[in-house]
Each structure stands twice: as structure tokens, then as C-alpha cells.
Amino acid sequence: MTTTKKKWKFKEGLFSFLMSGGSDLWIHLAMVGLMIFGTLMIGSASMGLAVKNTSYLVKTVIKQIVFVIIGYFVMCKLSNWFKIEKLRKSSFSWIIILMEFLLFSCIAFKASGGAHAWIRIPFPGMEVSIQPSEFAKIVSILIMAAYLGDVKKQYAKSFQMFLRPLIFIGIYLFTVLIIQHDLGSMAVIFLITCVCLLIPSHPQAHRFQVALRILFWIAVVCVVFILSPAGVQLVEHMPLDAYQKNRFLSAVNPFMDIYGSSYQIVKGLISFADGGWFGVGFGNSVRKYTDFPAANTDFILAILVEELGFVGFLVLMLLYGVIIFRLLAYAMKIKNEKAKIILVGTAMYFVVHIFFNIGGVTGLIPLTGVPLLMISSGGSSTMSIMFMVGIAQAVISQYKRKEIE
């Protein structure tokens, strides 16, 4: 075999690994764009935190690069390996139990921001934190697909079989909220599950689907009420922790306590104002050198807009939009309910995170601590969404190869 043929065969093999036959090229390119965009922004946003600790920047960037490489490798592997027919209830028992064990085990590690949401693994010179609730989002989507998608006739009338996946996810929600005290992750899992529940044609799901639609409008009314003066008084008398009450009150009036509970939001709004259309330039943020909490995690959007302006924000939204649009476009075409649940669940994974993060940073909704996917520093959220996209790409590949309808 000639050298030219060997090189061509290698390139062909590499491409087939990175892009399984039928994977959506636009989704893949958008994910690569987010990987690069996110790593650069994490490096820039971490500069302020590295002033007093010069090794912090290097460690943070190296960790993020490692997480991105692992996530990209697994994403590509899953797009080639995952098969819808492997998604069976019988193969899920040990995964469900393992996930609950990991969620519960977080209580043994020190809290951060009032939440016991991380498993902390010490390494020489650094500590690596794993957030199991991020991976619980993947498991929750797959549980819904495995148990409720394309249910066989003999199980269609069994209310017990329909209720089982909801109980599993309910246990996850209880553990994340009550044991871990992580309201943001609980809300994300709950909303993704609710949207997935609207998809299957399972006879037992109809009453729940009607109830969810009613609850949605009730929730809208409740949010509007809470943001009113009467709602503020109600929140003040609710049995919540002080920091939870302050998050609600700061969303109603971000300037009520600019040096206390509203400090982050006000700093973020100033960054948005300073950024304008084109920003002050990549790496030139002033705000990140002040005592701006969570500059490279939950509030990284504020640094992004300050440096790259509204144009940079639009580029980010374009990358997200490509992925969400393509996932929902395939979901509309595919008849297989398991595949449809996976695609819609993945799209909602993005949508819910974007809504909570941008809403919290801009003061439109209470802060939830939900990261901006692929942009905020954090290995668990980055790898989790990349794994989920890999599974979605596998579904798209099978549809294009006509292995599923």
C-alpha cells in the first residue's frame, strides 16, 4: 500500500470516528465552536482570580481542556456506539441505583454555596470536583425514553409500569433538593422531565400531560405574582433560608441591596452596559479584576458581553440556536418515540440551562446557580452535555440510515 493511500485511509478512519455515518455536521461544528469559545472565555474570565494565585489560571485552563477532550472523545464514541434498541428497561436497574448512590454520597463532602452537590477528589496540587446531578440529567432523559417510548400493547394499560420511571426521577429530585440543597439542578431535571413526558402516546400519560399544561399556566401566574409587591411580602414570610429569600427579592429589585444580596447582579448589569455592541476587547474586562463572585462560572456571561459585546452574545446564541433547531427539526421527522424523547430532551437540556443562566445573570429571575453550558467553567456540566449530544447524534445517524423511522 502506497504512502498516499495509507494517509487517505487514516484520514477516512479518523473522520468516521469523529462523525459517524449520518451524524449531523451542523450540530458537530456548533459543538466544536462552543468548545473553543468556552475554553477561551474561561481562560479570560479566570485572569482576575489568578491575580493573587498565579497557578490558578493554568490549573483552571488545563482542567477545562482535559474535560473538553474527554467529553469530545466520548461524544464521538457514543455517536458511533449508542443504539436505540439497546435502550431497554431491563438494562437500566444498575444505572438507576448507581446514580442515586452518587447523588446521595455528596453529603459526605464539604458544601459550596450552601449545596452538598459535589464529590471532591484530591489530586497533587489541585482538587477535581464531580457533580453527579449533571449526569442525572442524562439518566433522567434515558429513563423516560426507555420506559415510556413506544410501549408495547401488553404494558400500555399498566399504570404501575407508567408510574415507575416517574418514581425513579422523583427520588432523584428529592435527593438533589432535600439532601444536596441544589434547587437549580432540581429545577432543570424537573423541567426536562416534564417536557419529555409530553411526547409519548402512552395511554396512561394523557392525564399527566393535561395536568402539566395546566400547571404550566399556573406557574406563569405564580411567577408574575411573586414579582409583585404582594408576592414579595409572601416570600419574606415563607420558610426559606435567608440566601434563598434574597435571591427572589434581588430578582424583583436588583438595586435594593447593591453591596449585599444583589452585588453579583449589579456587577453583571454594569458589565453588560460597559460591553455595548462590540465590547472592550477579548481579555480586557475590568470587572473580572474586582471582587466579582463566580466570574468564570455562573456569571461568565457578564464577562463575555463586557469583552465581546452584544455581537459576541449573538454569536453564542447562534451556536446554541443551530444545535437546538437541528435537534427539534429531526424530532419532528422521527416517529420512534424513544428517539423523539432523546432529541427533545437534549434540546430542552440546552434551553432550560440558557433560560436559567441568562435570566439569573440579568435579574429577570432568581439566581439558581445553573451554569451556561460549554461556556462556564466546570467539567461535569461540560462532559454531561457532550455525552448527551453524542447520544442524540447516534439517534440522528440511525434515522438517516433508516434503521429507525
Side-chain angles (χ1 to χ4, degrees):
M1 186 180 290
T2 64
T3 305
T4 306
K5 286 184 178 179
K6 285 181 179 178
K7 287 182 179 178
W8 176 254
K9 193 171 183 181
F10 171 77
K11 288 179 181 178
E12 199 175 43
L14 180 63
F15 183 77
S16 65
F17 169 74
L18 298 179
M19 288 287 296
S20 65
S23 288
D24 187 84
L25 179 61
W26 289 107
I27 292 176
H28 191 91
L29 292 176
M31 287 297 294
V32 171
L34 286 172
M35 287 164 51
I36 298 170
F37 201 171
T39 304
L40 290 173
M41 281 311 309
I42 288 166
S44 177
S46 300
M47 289 178 183
L49 297 169
V51 171
K52 296 179 181 179
N53 182 3
T54 53
S55 65
Y56 177 83
L57 177 60
V58 176
K59 290 178 182 178
T60 301
V61 173
I62 289 175
K63 282 199 293 185
Q64 190 65 25
I65 290 173
V66 170
F67 289 136
V68 164
I69 291 172
I70 294 172
Y72 185 69
F73 177 84
V74 177
M75 181 180 77
C76 295
K77 190 70 176 175
L78 284 170
S79 69
N80 285 281
W81 171 81
F82 182 83
K83 300 291 182 185
I84 282 289
E85 60 266 20
K86 293 181 180 179
L87 198 58
R88 301 187 184 94
K89 297 186 284 289
S90 57
S91 62
F92 249 75
S93 301
W94 69 272
I95 297 177
I96 293 169
I97 294 170
L98 176 62
M99 191 72 257
E100 176 57 25
F101 171 77
L102 292 173
L103 288 171
F104 195 85
S105 64
C106 291
I107 194 69
F109 300 87
K110 65 180 180 180
S112 178
H116 288 273
W118 292 269
I119 295 174
R120 304 183 187 279
I121 304 171
F123 280 93
M126 68 173 69
E127 181 184 77
V128 176
S129 300
I130 298 172
Q131 190 172 2
S133 58
E134 292 295 336
F135 300 97
K137 296 165 189 176
I138 298 177
V139 176
S140 297
I141 294 170
L142 296 181
I143 287 174
M144 296 296 288
Y147 280 83
L148 300 182
D150 299 305
V151 176
K152 293 180 180 179
K153 289 183 179 179
Q154 61 265 37
Y155 301 117
K157 295 182 179 180
S158 173
F159 184 70
Q160 182 182 359
M161 292 296 292
F162 167 76
L163 204 58
R164 190 174 297 175
L166 302 185
I167 292 173
F168 293 148
I169 295 173
I171 293 172
Y172 289 168
L173 294 174
F174 176 85
T175 306
V176 172
L177 180 62
I178 305 302
I179 305 299
Q180 295 189 353
H181 302 289
D182 188 355
L183 178 62
S185 293
M186 186 282 294
V188 172
I189 296 172
F190 176 75
L191 289 175
I192 293 174
T193 303
C194 287
V195 174
C196 289
L197 188 57
L198 295 173
I199 297 168
S201 57
H202 194 297
Q204 302 294 336
H206 178 68
R207 70 185 77 171
F208 283 86
Q209 290 167 347
V210 173
L212 283 175
R213 293 186 181 98
I214 295 171
L215 284 173
F216 170 78
W217 292 111
I218 293 174
V220 170
V221 173
C222 287
V223 169
V224 173
F225 172 74
I226 286 176
L227 297 178
S228 68
V232 170
Q233 292 183 358
L234 178 63
V235 169
E236 289 176 342
H237 292 88
M238 289 176 68
L240 299 172
D241 292 334
Y243 79 93
Q244 292 174 326
K245 290 181 182 179
N246 288 334
R247 286 183 177 183
F248 277 101
L249 299 176
S250 296
V252 176
N253 181 11
F255 299 98
M256 72 168 191
D257 187 11
I258 60 174
Y259 297 108
S261 59
S262 300
Y263 187 75
Q264 279 180 293
I265 296 176
V266 172
K267 284 275 190 179
L269 292 176
I270 294 172
S271 294
F272 282 120
D274 289 345
W277 277 97
F278 299 102
V280 297
F282 178 73
N284 295 330
S285 166
V286 175
R287 209 65 50 203
K288 66 189 178 187
Y289 291 106
T290 65
D291 52 345
F292 189 7
N296 64 349
T297 51
D298 300 344
F299 271 77
I300 196 170
L301 182 66
I303 305 300
L304 186 153
V305 174
E306 184 184 0
E307 294 187 350
L308 304 179
F310 188 63
V311 172
F313 174 76
L314 289 178
V315 171
L316 176 63
M317 290 300 105
L318 177 63
L319 293 173
Y320 282 140
V322 167
I323 297 169
I324 294 166
F325 174 79
R326 299 293 290 179
L327 288 170
L328 294 178
Y330 283 110
M332 294 292 288
K333 298 176 185 177
I334 294 175
K335 295 180 181 178
N336 185 291
E337 288 185 352
K338 284 183 170 64
K340 194 183 288 285
I341 289 171
I342 288 172
L343 293 177
V344 172
T346 306
M348 287 304 105
Y349 195 156
F350 278 101
V351 170
V352 174
H353 268 261
I354 292 168
F355 172 76
F356 277 133
N357 185 271
I358 296 178
V361 171
T362 55
L364 295 176
I365 61 173
L367 286 170
T368 55
V370 172
L372 192 59
L373 292 174
M374 301 295 297
I375 306 298
S376 294
S377 177
S380 297
S381 63
T382 299
M383 290 193 295
S384 177
I385 190 60
M386 294 181 82
F387 295 173
M388 197 65 235
V389 169
I391 294 172
Q393 284 279 49
V395 169
I396 293 170
S397 298
Q398 291 171 71
Y399 170 71
K400 286 187 173 181
R401 293 196 300 265
K402 298 185 178 180
E403 294 175 10
I404 58 175
E405 294 183 356

